[in-house]
Amino acid sequence: MLEVRNLSARWDGFAIDDISFSVAAGDYFVLLGPSGGGKTLVLEILAGLHPATGGTVLLDGREITGSRIQDRDLALVYQDRALFPHLTVHKNIAYGLAAQGVTRSKRLDRAAELAGQVGVAELLHRRPGTLSGGEAQRVALARALAREPKLLLLDEPLSALDIRAREKLRALLRQLHRAGNTIIHVTHDFEEAVSLASHVAIMAEGRIIQMGTRDEVFVEPRSRFVARFTGVDNFIEGEVTEAHDSSATFVADKATFQLAGAGFVGRGYLLFRRRDLEVHRQAPSPSPANLFTGRVVDLAPTRSGLEVRLDAQGLTLVAHVPRRQVAALELELGMEVYAVLREGAGRVVKA
Amino acid sequence: MQLAFAVLGGLVLLFIVAPLAGLFFFGGEPANVVAAAGNAELRDSIWLTLWTSMLATALLALAAVPFAYLLARKDFWGKRLVMGLVDLPTVIPHSAAGIAVLTVIARSSPLGQAAAGIGLDFVGHPAGIMVAMSFVSIPFLINAARDGFAAVPERLEKAALTLGASPLRVFLTIAVPLAWRAILSGFVLMWARGMSEFGAVVIVAYHPMTTPVLIWEWFGAYGLSYARPAAALFVLVCLVLFILLRLLARERDDA
C-alpha cells in the first residue's frame, strides 16, 4: 500500500537519510527509536508537511512525493492533537468531511457516529480546551478517521497521557487496527511497540537500523541499540568459532564464552540479560565455565538491587546484584571483581 | 518601586484624560451638546465621517486581511522592505500624506483622469475622503491582523490541510476565526484612525466636510466656545461606538 524508497530530508536540525520501507494494507507499522532520530520527520514528509530532498513515496502505486498536503489521502494525528480550539468536538470531528463537500447534516451524523466509536459521544458539544489528554486524543483520532483515509499516521499518540489513559487508548488503537485501518505509529516507547505493532522499524540518527515483523525484530535484535530497547543489557559482537550439538564457543576480543549451542559458525552477537551475570568478590570454586575478571566502572541502584557495570577483558558487561546481596558484597567503584555468566544463559544471533 | 511606577502611570493617564474631561466640563454641558446635535451641518458631517471611514475600512480589509496573512505566514525576499512600506503612512506628516494622495488622485493625474472617465471625481468627493482616510490608517489594520495571524499556531493550519481542506478553506475556517479578535481590533483601530483623520482629508477634500474638518473650520471662524460642543459631541459618538464594538467582540468570543 505505502512504498517509501530512499527517502532523504533535512529539517530544523533533524535529518533522515536513505529511508526505505513498505507498509501493506492492514499492517500496524511502528517506527521505534529515540527522540531526535528523525521519526516524526518521516511522518511529516509522508503527510506532505515537509519536502523530501530525495527519494519517492508511493501510496497505492500513485506517487505522492510532491503532492499537496490536502491531496494525499492520509491523515496525521499530531502528538499534541492540534484540535481546533474554536470549534466544538462535534465540528472538529466533522471538519474533514466539510472539505469533501459532505452536507452539513450528513457530516454531523457521521461525526456523532465516529465519536461513539472512539468513546467520546458524550463530549460532542465541548470545546477542546476542556478535554483531558485522553479525550483529546480520541477526538483527534475520530477527526482523522472521518475522511476514511487510506493510511493513519500517529505521532507519539500515547506519550502525553497518564498510565490509565494510555492503556485504554492502546485498546482503542488495537480495535481500530482490527477494524481494518492501516496505521503507521511513531514512538520512542518499546512497550508501546511490543503491544501494538505487527511490523517494526527501528530508527536512530536518521536511519532505519532494523526492520521486520515484531517478532523478527524483538527476538533477533541486530544491534546494541535494538537489543537495549528489547531489554537485553549485554550485547556483544564477536564470532562463533566452534558449534556442536550441545556446545559452542564464542570469542569476543580477549574473552571466550562457552555456550550451550549456537547453530552456526561465524560472526554473530551474544545476548544476555544483566540478571544472568553474577558478581563475586572472590573467585568461586570449583571454577565455573564462564568466569571473567573485571573492574567496577559504574554502580546504579535499581528497584530490585544494584546494576553493576564492569570493564572486563576488553568488554563492557552489565550485571545485576539482588538486593539481599548488595550489603554483603560492599562494591565500590574501581574494585576488581569476578563475574560469572550463569550456566545455560546467553544466546547468539547471526550477524 | 511599584508605587513610583504606579504614580508615573497615574500621571500619564491624567495627561490623556484631563483634556477630554476638560472638553466635557467646559463645552459639554448637556444643553450645549444637544444644541450642537441639532445643527444639521454637524449631524451631516458626523454621518459622513462615520460611513466613509467605515466603508473605507471594510473595503480595504478585503485586501488587507489576506495581505496580513501572507506577511504572517510567508517569508519572501524583500519582506522587511514591504513591512517598512506598510508602516510608512504612520511616520510621515499627515498633511504631506494628503499632498501625496492628492498628487495621485488629482484631476490631472492618470488615475484622476481614469476616474473622471467613469464620472468620478475624487477631489471634493466622499471617495477622495475615503482614499485619504485609508492611506493614513491602513497600517493599523495590516499590523494588527498580521500579529493576530502570527499568533495562530501553524500546526492547526497544517492539521486542517491534512484533513483535506484547501488553503482557502483553512484561511477562512481556521486562520480568520482564530485571529478574529486581533483582526477586529485592527478594524476598529483603522476605523477610528480614519474617522479622526484631519490633515490628509482636509487637503484632499475640504468639502464635503468631515467632522474633524468642520470642527477646525468652526474654530477658525467662530472660536473655541463654538467649536467645543461639536468636538464634545463627536468624541461622545466615537466613544459610544467603540465601546459597543468591543462589547460585541467580547460576546462573540464568549459564545
Side-chain angles (χ1 to χ4, degrees), chain B residues 26-157:
Chain B
F26 293 110
E29 301 97 69
N32 283 352
V33 174
V34 169
N39 184 312
E41 198 184 2
L42 177 60
R43 278 205 319 265
D44 287 350
S45 85
I46 289 179
W47 173 236
L48 173 73
T49 312
L50 289 180
W51 80 255
T52 48
S53 53
M54 177 60 98
L55 186 61
T57 306
L59 287 177
L60 267 285
L62 291 178
V65 172
F67 178 47
Y69 182 69
L70 191 73
L71 289 176
R73 279 290 176 258
K74 298 283 178 238
D75 282 318
F76 50 85
W77 190 85
K79 183 173 168 179
R80 291 173 74 90
L81 179 71
V82 168
M83 285 178 23
L85 286 176
V86 166
D87 284 334
L88 208 54
T90 59
V91 295
I92 57 175
H94 288 185
S95 50
I99 298 286
V101 169
L102 188 58
T103 310
V104 176
I105 63 171
R107 285 168 200 130
S108 55
S109 75
L111 186 65
Q113 281 170 2
I118 55 164
L120 175 65
D121 183 6
F122 283 111
V123 181
H125 188 276
I129 296 175
M130 281 158 58
V131 173
M133 284 175 167
S134 304
F135 182 82
V136 295
S137 60
I138 189 77
F140 294 94
L141 176 57
I142 294 177
N143 288 333
R146 191 198 59 214
D147 291 347
F149 284 129
V152 174
E154 212 174 342
R155 239 180 32 264
L156 295 179
E157 294 177 15

Side-chain angles (χ1 to χ4, degrees), chain B:
Chain B
M1 195 183 80
Q2 251 181 1
L3 182 69
F5 280 21
V7 169
L8 290 175
L11 285 174
V12 173
L13 270 183
L14 192 65
F15 178 71
I16 295 170
V17 171
L20 289 175
L23 184 66
F24 287 100
F25 189 73
F26 293 110
E29 301 97 69
N32 283 352
V33 174
V34 169
N39 184 312
E41 198 184 2
L42 177 60
R43 278 205 319 265
D44 287 350
S45 85
I46 289 179
W47 173 236
L48 173 73
T49 312
L50 289 180
W51 80 255
T52 48
S53 53
M54 177 60 98
L55 186 61
T57 306
L59 287 177
L60 267 285
L62 291 178
V65 172
F67 178 47
Y69 182 69
L70 191 73
L71 289 176
R73 279 290 176 258
K74 298 283 178 238
D75 282 318
F76 50 85
W77 190 85
K79 183 173 168 179
R80 291 173 74 90
L81 179 71
V82 168
M83 285 178 23
L85 286 176
V86 166
D87 284 334
L88 208 54
T90 59
V91 295
I92 57 175
H94 288 185
S95 50
I99 298 286
V101 169
L102 188 58
T103 310
V104 176
I105 63 171
R107 285 168 200 130
S108 55
S109 75
L111 186 65
Q113 281 170 2
I118 55 164
L120 175 65
D121 183 6
F122 283 111
V123 181
H125 188 276
I129 296 175
M130 281 158 58
V131 173
M133 284 175 167
S134 304
F135 182 82
V136 295
S137 60
I138 189 77
F140 294 94
L141 176 57
I142 294 177
N143 288 333
R146 191 198 59 214
D147 291 347
F149 284 129
V152 174
E154 212 174 342
R155 239 180 32 264
L156 295 179
E157 294 177 15
K158 296 261 174 89
L161 286 171
T162 64
L163 292 169
S166 66
L168 180 64
R169 181 182 282 275
V170 173
F171 173 71
L172 293 174
T173 60
I174 306 294
V176 169
L178 287 175
W180 167 248
R181 195 178 249 276
I183 295 172
L184 185 75
S185 158
F187 197 92
V188 170
L189 268 177
M190 176 172 173
W191 182 33
R193 190 64 201 79
M195 207 153 80
S196 56
E197 179 55 22
F198 169 73
V201 171
V202 78
I203 283 172
V204 173
Y206 196 93
H207 288 284
M209 261 188 227
T210 64
T211 312
V213 177
L214 185 74
I215 292 170
W216 182 67
E217 158 130 329
W218 282 6
F219 173 67
Y222 314 113
L224 181 62
S225 58
Y226 194 86
R228 204 156 43 201
L233 182 65
F234 187 55
V235 169
L236 205 64
V237 168
C238 294
L239 277 179
V240 168
L241 280 170
F242 293 144
I243 290 169
L244 275 180
L245 253 175
R246 289 277 169 192
L247 287 178
L248 211 71
R250 180 175 307 171
E251 247 170 46
R252 196 191 147 128
D253 245 32
D254 293 344

Side-chain angles (χ1 to χ4, degrees), chain A:
Chain A
M1 159 178 272
L2 180 78
E3 187 77 41
V4 176
R5 293 184 196 145
N6 313 103
L7 202 63
S8 300
R10 194 167 284 282
W11 192 269
D12 206 14
F14 294 102
I16 57 165
D17 190 27
D18 200 23
I19 297 284
S20 297
F21 62 89
S22 58
V23 178
D27 279 1
Y28 197 119
F29 187 91
V30 170
L31 213 48
L32 174 67
S35 308
K39 310 181 300 288
T40 297
L41 182 55
V42 171
L43 272 201
E44 293 187 340
I45 291 170
L46 295 183
L49 304 184
H50 298 310
T53 52
T56 50
V57 180
L58 296 145
L59 185 62
D60 275 347
R62 182 173 70 99
E63 175 159 2
I64 58 164
T65 324
S67 297
R68 296 186 305 173
I69 299 172
Q70 62 269 33
D71 297 338
R72 292 191 174 216
D73 209 7
L74 32 79
L76 172 66
V77 177
Y78 283 83
Q79 181 169 6
D80 65 353
R81 281 69 101 167
L83 295 178
F84 307 131
H86 60 301
L87 300 178
T88 60
V89 164
H90 205 168
K91 286 185 177 161
N92 260 284
I93 298 175
Y95 188 87
L97 295 171
Q100 281 184 329
V102 178
T103 61
R104 187 184 154 81
S105 67
K106 269 194 187 149
R107 64 179 190 250
L108 290 180
D109 286 350
R110 173 87 182 113
E113 188 187 322
L114 278 159
Q117 278 174 29
V118 301
V120 293
E122 71 286 7
L123 306 175
L124 281 177
H125 300 292
R126 297 260 291 272
R127 295 273 176 146
T130 68
L131 303 178
S132 74
E135 289 166 347
Q137 191 62 265
R138 284 164 191 272
V139 174
L141 278 167
R143 186 178 70 173
L145 288 167
R147 295 170 58 221
E148 296 176 4
K150 289 194 174 120
L151 192 56
L152 195 54
L153 308 175
L154 311 177
D155 187 8
E156 301 272 5
L158 309 178
S159 68
L161 306 177
D162 61 60
I163 289 176
R164 272 177 58 81
R166 202 177 296 182
E167 272 165 14
K168 286 187 189 160
L169 249 149
R170 266 190 210 167
L172 174 62
L173 290 177
R174 264 192 294 269
Q175 182 192 322
L176 292 176
H177 177 222
R178 274 198 302 272
N181 289 292
T182 310
I183 298 173
I184 299 186
H185 174 144
V186 155
T187 182
H188 63 273
D189 187 315
F190 172 68
E191 294 286 320
E192 226 167 281
V194 171
S195 80
L196 291 167
S198 68
H199 293 73
V200 179
I202 309 276
M203 223 183 136
E205 290 169 8
R207 289 172 173 277
I208 288 180
I209 299 174
Q210 192 176 354
M211 181 163 56
T213 64
R214 180 184 58 182
D215 291 347
E216 279 165 11
V217 172
F218 292 149
V219 175
E220 299 214 340
R222 295 194 188 282
S223 70
R224 185 180 306 281
F225 177 80
V226 180
R228 216 174 22 232
F229 252 129
T230 61
V232 172
D233 315 279
N234 292 286
F235 181 89
I236 298 164
E237 252 185 280
E239 191 174 354
V240 179
T241 53
E242 273 179 60
H244 307 288
D245 282 351
S246 59
S247 72
T249 306
F250 183 88
V251 179
D253 208 352
K254 282 166 267 176
T256 302
F257 294 84
Q258 299 302 329
L259 304 171
F264 68 94
V265 171
R267 302 291 309 165
Y269 306 111
L270 171 63
L271 281 58
F272 56 90
R273 292 171 189 275
R274 62 182 183 207
R275 289 177 185 285
D276 291 328
L277 196 66
E278 296 167 2
V279 176
H280 301 272
R281 289 285 294 274
Q282 264 92 39
S285 75
S287 183
N290 292 303
L291 177 68
F292 307 95
T293 54
R295 195 164 48 84
V296 177
V297 292
D298 192 25
L299 293 168
T302 65
R303 257 181 301 182
S304 59
L306 193 63
E307 182 186 296
V308 183
R309 200 165 284 266
L310 302 173
D311 193 350
Q313 292 166 254
L315 303 172
T316 298
L317 300 178
V318 184
H320 175 259
V321 176
R323 189 177 297 286
R324 59 191 144 73
Q325 292 172 15
V326 170
L329 279 170
E330 292 184 320
L331 293 175
E332 282 173 21
L333 287 181
M335 194 176 264
E336 293 290 336
V337 295
Y338 294 89
V340 176
L341 180 63
R342 265 188 242 282
E343 210 178 318
R347 99 193 133 81
V348 279
V349 298
K350 215 168 173 162

